[in-house]
Amino acid sequence: MNGVEIRGLCKSYGKIKAVDGLDLTVGSGQVFGLLGPNGSGKTTTIKLLLGLIKPDSGDALVLGRSISKGIELERVGYMPQETALYEELTVHENLKLFGGIFGMKKRALEEREEEVLRIVDLKGRRDSLLSELSGGQRHRISLAVALLHSPDILFLDEPTVGVDPPLRVSFWKTFHDLKRKGVTIIMTTHYLDEARKCDNIGLMRSGKLISKGSPGRIMKDTGTDNLEDAFLKLASARSPGVIA
Amino acid sequence: MKGLRFLMVTKKIFWNFRHDKRSLALMLLAPILSMMVFGIAFSGDMEDVKVVIVNLDQGYRTPVFNQSVKISQSVISNMDRDVLDISYSSSIEDGLKGVEDGTYYSLIIFPENFTMNIMAYKSAMASGNVTAIMGTTEHSTVSIRSDQAEVSVVSEVNRLVMQAIAETMEQGGFDVPIDVDASDPVYGEGATFIDMFIPGIMGFTIFLLTTTLSLITFVGERTQGTLYRLMATPITEGEIILGYALAFSILGMAQVALLIAIAVLVFDVMVVGNLLLTFLIGSMLGMVSVSLGILLSSLARRESQAIQFYPLIVMPTFLLAGIFWPLESIPAYLRPLSYGIPVTYAIKGLRSVMVRGWGVAEIWPQLLALTLFATAFLLGAVLTLKMERRRA
């Protein structure tokens, strides 16, 4: 079973087509990167897949379940772009809240809490209020919450923004460890250098997928040696003279 | 120019209004609404105060013309019908039952010898018979048995009865003292304005704090993105609302407990009825208020917009829910609005339990109204969350 299968997905806000006829398949246990400039439709795509917003047309399957009928959210981990956690609660309370919602038992929750805090390197801040943490640290806690219930598929919206380089390396190690365990990871990023670490990527522009495939394949097809040049070449080929 | 840089700030505020017409509309409409509601509520006289009269007066037959005269009838016809909504009963027992079950505020009793004694007093006065004068005073008394839970209504009834007696005496050219005995109320013996006022302020405080807090908190859930994060978990919209409702209904009970403790210890307020019932009303009002707060939060995109709902929540409740004055003193055409405010029922319920000592058998209409409000608002709140997905 594929992690995600998207067929003709469309979503508009007024006259703006945020997602415009998206077709995409992400195999199970893949790390897939959705790339593109701000406003290209990456976040809207993730929200559509999670059922947070309803599509105007088209459908998608997440772990075999249609988004129109409701996906299995118990098997899904989501890290939004903004921290989206309770600043007036401690790190531990935030983790306990979301663990409880996912039906985790006390013992399992305690073990996983320690594990995810180790992954994000914030074990010492368990009892700190979220509001006392720096922006980067909050972002790391947000990832910890997404990983807490050991989901089968992870949607990560800009997971490495505000994360310093050494920790970013550690994050990528975690993502590849999860991939080895069969977890499908779909992430958005506009760090094109980072996208090279994905198994496959999709380049988005103005709501459309302008290219998809492995990073090496895309660079080869465009005759470039980095993804930034590949993206610029693809974008100008689609709409000459206009690069978002 | 450097000195005029502040104008940019002013312009920025008006630019903001251009994009946020709702704020501008509220800034302009809320004061008008407040003034209208205040003006109308304060200008109203008391109306439709239901009383029942038991007239046992046998009258007096004039010796010369053999005509029957009942002075009680003149007193009754002089009672202000704009304020009093008068019914009649043939027995004191039936009249009392009407007050006990809340149909009437007061039972007004004219004794058997009402006219006879006035006439006797008059003739005794004319003849200077002191013994006869002393003997009649006991019978020239109109008794009023009231539900003193609404102190201001009862004061008005007493005042109008006395005024009707005075007018009748003046019209008949009598100079006879008649007592009005209101010393034996049906409910609320010894009740003062504070006893009526405290249940009102309890209901208002719970409603105001809970609605405001849940409104601001829920707008925060939206602006911080936590609501969407919750929606990406297995928790349903109904469970989110239920979680909030439960928390605030527990808080409602705690608020009632605290307020009653202060009311009793500091203000020496009477609590005749079952305390558990007051907690129940408090928790139900908490539930109604939290769901209203969540409903309103769907209309605000930011905390600053949410605060603009404050006058809309506060003013109508403050003026129309019967906190300070009874519903009867609110103009009749505004009263349907009072019945559309959930706090009205909570206050009536709290007052009935605390001052009248009523139980579920008597306050079920208020409990039912609060249940209906809670159900409607909770379902509405769930619906707004479900619509959030379509709107986003």
Side-chain angles (χ1 to χ4, degrees):
Chain A
M1 190 193 355
N2 288 315
V4 167
E5 286 177 50
I6 304 174
R7 297 287 169 261
L9 209 57
C10 291
K11 177 72 186 177
S12 297
Y13 294 107
K15 287 179 182 168
I16 299 165
K17 288 182 176 173
V19 175
D20 190 5
L22 197 65
D23 287 299
L24 181 67
T25 300
V26 178
S28 191
Q30 270 193 27
V31 178
F32 187 90
L34 265 180
L35 276 70
N38 290 332
S40 58
K42 308 183 297 288
T43 298
T44 306
T45 304
I46 292 226
K47 286 186 172 174
L48 283 165
L49 292 175
L50 285 164
L52 291 178
I53 50 180
K54 294 221 184 281
D56 299 330
S57 60
D59 198 1
L61 301 177
V62 176
L63 299 173
R65 292 272 289 266
S66 161
I67 57 168
S68 60
K69 289 176 183 152
I71 62 169
E72 282 181 278
L73 287 166
E74 293 84 354
R75 298 174 64 192
V76 174
Y78 170 46
M79 178 189 177
Q81 215 171 85
E82 64 277 25
T83 307
L85 289 172
Y86 296 95
E87 304 220 337
E88 65 279 14
L89 301 184
T90 62
V91 168
H92 167 65
E93 286 165 341
N94 269 291
L95 288 165
K96 200 172 157 187
L97 168 71
F98 282 92
I101 288 173
F102 279 101
M104 294 178 74
K105 296 272 182 288
K106 196 181 171 201
R107 184 76 186 270
L109 180 59
E110 278 169 5
E111 284 171 13
R112 277 299 289 167
E113 181 178 340
E114 208 175 313
E115 207 175 328
V116 292
L117 285 178
R118 183 187 48 76
I119 290 171
V120 298
D121 197 22
L122 282 171
K123 264 180 94 173
R125 304 306 299 267
R126 180 184 179 273
D127 295 316
S128 301
L129 285 173
L130 213 74
S131 56
E132 293 168 355
L133 303 184
S134 70
Q137 286 173 326
R138 286 180 218 186
H139 208 63
R140 282 145 66 185
I141 295 299
S142 181
L143 177 64
V145 170
L147 298 175
L148 186 67
H149 59 290
S150 311
D152 294 325
I153 186 163
L154 264 170
F155 292 97
L156 309 174
D157 201 354
E158 308 278 1
T160 50
V161 166
V163 177
D164 51 35
L167 196 65
R168 206 182 287 183
V169 173
S170 157
F171 271 23
W172 273 101
K173 186 184 169 303
T174 303
F175 298 153
H176 284 117
D177 286 348
L178 289 167
K179 167 189 145 72
R180 272 191 291 279
K181 288 177 187 166
V183 176
T184 308
I185 299 174
I186 296 178
M187 69 168 70
T188 69
T189 181
H190 49 243
Y191 293 144
L192 295 176
D193 58 323
E194 233 179 31
R196 296 183 77 151
K197 295 171 183 161
C198 295
D199 297 319
N200 284 300
I201 55 172
L203 297 174
M204 286 190 80
R205 188 167 176 275
S206 305
K208 288 182 189 294
L209 199 64
I210 55 174
S211 182
K212 59 189 170 188
S214 69
R217 176 93 202 169
I218 287 175
M219 284 187 285
K220 194 179 169 193
D221 288 353
T222 50
T224 55
D225 58 3
N226 64 68
L227 281 171
E228 196 166 344
D229 288 343
F231 180 79
L232 289 173
K233 203 165 179 181
L234 285 163
S236 56
R238 289 242 154 195
S239 177
V242 183
I243 297 169
Chain B
M1 195 193 288
K2 264 187 183 178
L4 294 177
R5 274 195 305 222
F6 71 94
L7 279 177
M8 289 313 294
V9 179
T10 310
K11 277 185 186 174
K12 178 242 155 207
I13 291 165
F14 284 101
W15 291 336
N16 195 42
F17 279 136
R18 196 167 60 192
H19 300 296
D20 187 4
K21 295 192 173 59
R22 177 174 24 206
S23 294
L24 184 62
L26 271 168
M27 288 284 288
L28 299 175
L29 293 179
I32 298 171
L33 182 79
S34 307
M35 197 186 70
M36 292 289 287
V37 176
F38 256 112
I40 293 166
F42 274 107
S43 64
D45 291 322
M46 217 175 270
E47 287 175 347
D48 305 328
V49 175
K50 288 190 167 56
V51 295
V52 59
I53 292 176
V54 174
N55 191 358
L56 304 172
D57 187 10
Q58 297 296 312
Y60 170 75
R61 197 159 282 280
T62 55
V64 182
F65 302 106
N66 197 27
Q67 279 179 331
S68 176
V69 177
K70 276 190 184 174
I71 296 175
S72 55
Q73 286 297 355
S74 308
V75 174
I76 292 167
S77 61
N78 278 328
M79 286 180 182
D80 188 345
R81 295 294 204 283
D82 289 339
V83 179
L84 299 179
D85 178 357
I86 298 173
S87 300
Y88 297 91
S89 175
S90 54
S91 77
I92 294 176
E93 287 74 25
D94 289 348
L96 267 178
K97 259 184 217 158
V99 179
E100 280 166 5
D101 66 20
T103 310
Y104 307 110
Y105 276 109
S106 301
L107 161 66
I108 302 166
I109 307 163
F110 289 90
E112 244 175 73
N113 297 327
F114 185 76
T115 305
M116 280 292 288
N117 286 313
I118 290 170
M119 299 311 287
Y121 189 98
K122 196 185 171 195
S123 76
M125 281 288 284
S127 66
N129 186 341
V130 176
T131 319
I133 296 167
M134 298 303 288
T136 54
T137 49
E138 174 190 344
H139 303 290
S140 308
T141 301
V142 178
S143 303
I144 305 178
R145 307 283 310 276
S146 293
D147 171 1
Q148 243 171 228
E150 297 280 2
V151 175
S152 45
V153 178
V154 175
S155 307
E156 185 67 359
V157 172
N158 294 350
R159 188 186 70 78
L160 289 173
V161 172
M162 283 192 262
Q163 186 183 302
I165 290 170
E167 274 175 34
T168 310
M169 295 298 114
E170 200 182 320
Q171 286 160 3
F174 304 121
D175 187 15
V176 178
I178 296 174
D179 291 341
V180 173
D181 178 12
S183 62
D184 186 18
V186 176
Y187 295 119
E189 185 162 3
T192 56
F193 182 71
I194 192 91
D195 294 299
M196 186 200 110
F197 174 68
I198 288 287
I201 215 69
M202 278 168 69
F204 179 65
T205 314
I206 293 170
F207 175 74
L208 178 67
L209 293 180
T210 310
T211 308
T212 313
L213 192 62
S214 57
L215 169 60
I216 301 285
T217 310
F218 226 80
V219 171
E221 290 264 21
R222 285 187 164 90
T223 53
Q224 288 174 25
T226 44
L227 181 62
Y228 301 102
R229 187 162 202 158
L230 284 176
M231 283 177 161
T233 71
I235 199 165
T236 63
E237 290 87 350
E239 287 168 334
I240 295 173
I241 301 292
L242 208 65
Y244 262 86
L246 181 65
F248 281 97
S249 65
I250 292 168
L251 271 176
M253 275 196 264
Q255 283 171 320
V256 168
L258 205 65
L259 290 170
I260 285 188
I262 292 169
V264 172
L265 296 174
V266 181
F267 298 108
D268 195 23
V269 160
M270 61 166 63
V271 182
V272 183
N274 188 342
L275 274 181
L276 289 178
L277 267 181
T278 61
F279 295 160
L280 176 68
I281 296 168
S283 70
M284 287 176 85
L285 182 60
M287 212 176 275
V288 169
S289 312
V290 69
S291 34
L292 178 66
I294 296 171
L295 260 177
L296 289 175
S297 76
S298 67
L299 303 173
R301 289 276 149 222
R302 295 184 294 277
E303 276 89 344
S304 60
Q305 283 182 342
I307 288 167
Q308 292 162 355
F309 287 116
Y310 206 72
L312 295 177
I313 303 166
V314 175
M315 290 300 170
T317 312
F318 191 72
L319 297 166
L320 301 174
I323 300 169
F324 304 102
W325 44 80
L327 296 190
E328 282 74 5
S329 67
I330 293 166
Y333 62 93
L334 271 184
R335 250 173 266 164
L337 285 180
S338 296
Y339 292 117
I341 298 170
V343 189
T344 304
Y345 302 94
I347 290 175
K348 189 160 185 193
L350 285 170
R351 205 169 272 155
S352 297
V353 174
M354 289 171 71
V355 187
R356 296 185 179 106
W358 281 3
V360 178
E362 291 87 5
I363 63 159
W364 68 265
Q366 284 78 47
L367 294 178
L368 178 67
L370 286 172
T371 310
L372 291 176
F373 271 113
T375 311
F377 287 173
L378 284 171
L379 288 176
V382 173
L383 204 67
T384 56
L385 284 198
K386 285 191 183 287
M387 281 167 67
E388 198 89 20
R389 292 180 197 266
R390 289 195 191 97
R391 255 193 340 195

